[in-house]
Amino acid sequence: MWLGVAIGSVRIPLEVLWNPSINETAANILWQIRMPRVLLAALVGASLAIAGAAFQGLLKNPLADPYTLGISSGASVGAVATIFFSISVPLLGIFTLPIFSMIGAIVTMFLVMSFARLVDRTMKMETLILTGIIFSSFLGSMISLMIALTGEELRQIMSWLLGSVSMRGWPYVQMIIPFVIIGSFILWWNRRELNAMLYGEERAQYLGVNVKRSKMQVLIGGSMLTGAAVAVSGTIGFVGLVVPHMTRMLWGADHHHLLPLSMLHGASLLIICDLISRTIIAPTELPIGVITSFVGAPVFAYIFFKQRRRKGVA
């Protein structure tokens, strides 16, 4: 976090944190621009990482994450539709965008799961990934249609779709925090159930787990986190895939440790990616989604290759 707020076109000395009078210009940059940006990156990274860890545990599939399952695309449709139709619900206020984004994520999650179950009752890895790709393609075409029909909102939609935490400010941090707390608590509440389901649904039931209720809670919690993250930052891929996989390799599959450590590592990764995106070709900024894709795509390929090799040997 300190690297994120200190490094940039203007260097921020450490002393400014507790003594703003040393350099008032640097203090304004720190508290009005850098700090909300870094906190937002941390919250988005933590949300996507813990959601990915929960989905991978629930589906017993290391390739499952909000991006590959199409949930991010569903959240994007909800958010873009809110911007396109200028939807504003007075009772929700600033929470209108994340709420509609979450609705899109949850609906997509259930559609992907239902379709995959119809195709293959065992819901194999390949079936889930292909189903996610199908839904992502369809939802992507819906987004393209709205972009083609839009007028004044085009710039807003396009800048949002590229994935960024730039110039969001404190309102966006306030927007995502309640959903991060609620969604993370739901997943943490089901940590024992996720551990039990690693051994299969039948054995989990023998251990006293209400599998149907736990699956529903995990899906809703993960979709809530994904929807909120997508609403404030746009589509940022592979964080929910790479971070839980690396955390599991280092610390094991126990969700008591995996969930909080994934949040910490996801926050760190996205802060570093955001730092790279705004400094690598300064003063021009790259979309943060570009950096995460450069990291995530090779890791995705490696995990998929390893899974196929393991099945081939078996």
Side-chain angles (χ1 to χ4, degrees), residues 52-201:
F55 287 148
Q56 288 173 13
L58 180 68
L59 301 172
K60 300 183 291 296
N61 187 336
L63 293 177
D65 89 310
Y67 190 74
T68 57
L69 291 176
I71 302 169
S72 292
S73 297
S76 297
V77 168
V80 170
T82 305
I83 297 169
F84 179 75
F85 293 108
S86 301
I87 298 170
S88 179
V89 180
L91 290 174
L92 297 177
I94 64 169
F95 296 112
T96 301
L97 184 62
I99 290 292
F100 276 84
S101 184
M102 270 184 283
I103 291 170
I106 291 169
V107 170
T108 303
M109 179 77 245
F110 282 107
L111 287 174
V112 168
M113 298 290 288
S114 301
F115 187 80
R117 193 179 293 277
L118 281 173
V119 174
D120 180 2
R121 296 289 296 177
T122 60
M123 294 177 67
K124 290 179 182 175
M125 174 185 66
E126 293 84 354
T127 307
L128 276 169
I129 300 302
L130 287 172
T131 304
I133 291 169
I134 291 167
F135 275 83
S136 290
S137 300
F138 175 72
L139 295 169
S141 66
M142 291 180 64
I143 293 171
S144 298
L145 176 63
M146 284 187 275
I147 289 172
L149 295 174
T150 194
E152 296 177 1
E153 300 88 358
L154 178 61
R155 185 178 180 83
Q156 185 183 1
I157 291 173
M158 288 304 297
S159 63
W160 178 87
L161 277 175
L162 290 171
S164 175
V165 290
S166 173
M167 303 306 292
R168 298 294 199 263
W170 290 110
Y172 280 80
V173 176
Q174 295 167 359
M175 190 189 298
I176 192 176
I177 281 177
F179 302 108
V180 173
I181 293 170
I182 296 168
S184 301
F185 178 77
I186 291 171
L187 298 184
W188 175 248
W189 184 262
N190 286 278
R191 62 195 184 279
R192 295 185 183 89
E193 288 77 3
L194 285 168
N195 279 343
M197 281 190 275
L198 289 174
Y199 301 102
E201 292 184 13

Side-chain angles (χ1 to χ4, degrees), residues 160 170 183 212 239 250 275 288:
W160 178 87
W170 290 110
K212 188 175 181 180
V239 176
L250 291 170
L275 176 60
I288 194 170

Side-chain angles (χ1 to χ4, degrees), residues 196-216:
M197 281 190 275
L198 289 174
Y199 301 102
E201 292 184 13
E202 288 186 9
R203 187 168 293 184
Q205 285 180 328
Y206 292 142
L207 294 171
V209 174
N210 187 330
V211 173
K212 188 175 181 180
R213 184 184 66 192
S214 297
K215 285 175 74 173
M216 187 74 67

Side-chain angles (χ1 to χ4, degrees), residues 165-309:
V165 290
S166 173
M167 303 306 292
R168 298 294 199 263
W170 290 110
Y172 280 80
V173 176
Q174 295 167 359
M175 190 189 298
I176 192 176
I177 281 177
F179 302 108
V180 173
I181 293 170
I182 296 168
S184 301
F185 178 77
I186 291 171
L187 298 184
W188 175 248
W189 184 262
N190 286 278
R191 62 195 184 279
R192 295 185 183 89
E193 288 77 3
L194 285 168
N195 279 343
M197 281 190 275
L198 289 174
Y199 301 102
E201 292 184 13
E202 288 186 9
R203 187 168 293 184
Q205 285 180 328
Y206 292 142
L207 294 171
V209 174
N210 187 330
V211 173
K212 188 175 181 180
R213 184 184 66 192
S214 297
K215 285 175 74 173
M216 187 74 67
Q217 289 177 354
V218 170
L219 291 173
I220 289 173
S223 299
M224 178 184 293
L225 288 162
T226 304
V230 169
V232 298
S233 66
T235 306
I236 298 174
F238 295 110
V239 176
L241 173 77
V242 173
V243 173
H245 184 72
M246 294 302 182
T247 306
R248 193 178 291 106
M249 287 175 64
L250 291 170
W251 304 104
D254 184 353
H255 287 85
H256 288 80
H257 311 302
L258 181 63
L259 294 178
L261 285 172
S262 292
M263 289 189 77
L264 182 65
H265 295 159
S268 301
L269 175 67
L270 212 62
I271 290 171
I272 292 168
C273 287
D274 178 56
L275 176 60
I276 294 169
S277 73
R278 60 186 169 85
T279 57
I280 193 169
I281 53 170
T284 305
E285 285 192 17
L286 286 173
I288 194 170
V290 173
I291 307 298
T292 59
S293 295
F294 268 118
V295 175
V299 175
F300 179 90
Y302 166 73
I303 299 169
F304 187 66
F305 178 73
K306 195 168 75 170
Q307 288 289 110
R308 298 298 295 178
R309 281 286 299 271

